[in-house]
């Protein structure tokens, strides 16, 4: 999955708030978000996520108000 810097920042906040959320991030998501690799050529952060982790991260982005289709958010590219 490719994320822009702003989306990765939201992911870091989402996993850091895990203890305070009714629906916490998927298992293993925190470790993968923290270990994301920045690709300078693509100008994005790269993560290898399971479907469950992708859905969980999408939920975190939604909570923050960033959506692929609106609200000024940047698209998420799988």
């Amino acid at each position: 999955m490719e994320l822009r810097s702003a989306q990765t920042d939201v992911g870091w906040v989402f996993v850091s708030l895990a203890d305070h959320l009714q629906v916490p991030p998927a298992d293993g998501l925190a470790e993968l978000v923290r270990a994301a690799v920045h690709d300078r050529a693509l100008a994005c952060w790269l993560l290898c996520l399971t479907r469950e982790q992708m859905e969980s991260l999408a939920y975190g982005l939604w909570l923050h108000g960033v959506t692929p289709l609106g609200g000024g958010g940047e698209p998420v590219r799988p």
Side-chain angles (χ1 to χ4, degrees), residues 5 30 32 37 54 66:
S5 291
L32 294 172
V37 176
M54 280 190 257
V66 179

Side-chain angles (χ1 to χ4, degrees), residues 10-48:
V10 171
W12 290 331
V13 170
F14 178 58
V15 299
S16 71
L17 295 173
D19 294 337
H20 305 286
L21 299 171
Q22 286 185 334
V23 180
D27 289 339
L29 181 60
E31 293 80 9
L32 294 172
V33 168
R34 291 183 184 117
V37 176
H38 188 260
D39 185 313
R40 288 181 182 225
L42 296 174
C44 64
W45 291 84
L46 304 175
L47 296 93
C48 186

Side-chain angles (χ1 to χ4, degrees), residues 48-75:
C48 186
L49 305 176
T50 66
R51 180 174 182 85
E52 180 183 355
Q53 291 165 337
M54 280 190 257
E55 290 172 356
S56 182
L57 182 57
Y59 174 67
L61 292 169
W62 175 79
L63 283 177
H64 188 67
V66 179
T67 64
L69 298 175
E74 300 177 54

